[in-house]
Amino acid sequence: TCALPIFSQGTMLSLYLSLLSKIPYKAVIGFSGRLFMPKTVANTETPVCLVHGKDDDVVPFESILSAKEQLEKLGSKVKVLEVPNLGHSIDLSGLKFAVEFLKGII
């Protein structure tokens, strides 16, 4: 499976499905989402890149910190970018961070 940048609910779904998948994804790159932990976890090998605006009023910024903590406890590799002065959106700094993340795994 490939790596695609995803936003908000797409991040939530992709994180959830990646943990259920018996075959690791190349990566999950999520913007402005949160983690809903499945009851059973089959995969912790998928590398994860999370980007979140500190001023998000739709999905609270703290969601990214919780996701990072939970994923790392499972043994997943997680890179996080906290973007100051950004709401529920994607900006150029987040896109650049995601590209650098991809360069590191390809």
Side-chain angles (χ1 to χ4, degrees), residues 29 31 49 93-104 106:
I29 301 168
F31 294 86
C49 173
S93 70
L95 291 173
K96 287 180 179 179
F97 185 78
V99 167
E100 290 304 312
F101 171 80
L102 279 175
K103 286 180 182 178
I106 295 177

Side-chain angles (χ1 to χ4, degrees), residues 5 9-10 12 16 20-21 28-29 31 37 40 42 48 51 56 68 70-71 74 81 83 89 91 95-96 102:
Q9 289 178 326
M12 298 172 204
Y16 186 86
L20 288 177
S21 177
V28 169
I29 301 168
F31 294 86
M37 189 66 72
T40 60
V48 177
V51 179
D56 192 331
K68 179 180 189 292
Q70 290 178 70
L71 289 167
L74 292 172
L81 177 65
V83 185
S89 187
D91 73 350
L95 291 173
K96 287 180 179 179
L102 279 175

Side-chain angles (χ1 to χ4, degrees), residues 4 8 11 16 25 27 55 60-61 74 77 79 82 89-90 92 95 99-100 104:
L4 295 174
S8 194
T11 298
Y16 186 86
Y25 295 6
D55 293 338
F61 169 74
L74 292 172
K77 294 181 181 174
K79 298 267 184 172
E82 303 172 6
S89 187
I90 300 172
L92 189 55
L95 291 173
V99 167
E100 290 304 312

Side-chain angles (χ1 to χ4, degrees), residues 27-87:
V28 169
I29 301 168
F31 294 86
S32 302
R34 69 173 53 161
L35 173 64
F36 291 98
M37 189 66 72
K39 289 182 182 180
T40 60
V41 174
N43 166 43
T44 59
E45 296 177 35
T46 299
V48 177
C49 173
L50 299 173
V51 179
H52 209 116
K54 293 192 88 170
D55 293 338
D56 192 331
D57 62 349
V58 177
V59 178
F61 169 74
E62 293 73 22
S63 299
I64 194 174
L65 304 177
S66 175
K68 179 180 189 292
E69 180 181 327
Q70 290 178 70
L71 289 167
E72 287 179 339
K73 279 183 183 177
L74 292 172
S76 297
K77 294 181 181 174
V78 184
K79 298 267 184 172
V80 169
L81 177 65
E82 303 172 6
V83 185
N85 305 312
L86 182 68

Side-chain angles (χ1 to χ4, degrees), residues 10-23:
T11 298
M12 298 172 204
L13 181 61
S14 295
L15 288 171
Y16 186 86
L17 292 176
S18 75
L19 291 170
L20 288 177
S21 177
K22 292 186 186 338
I23 300 170

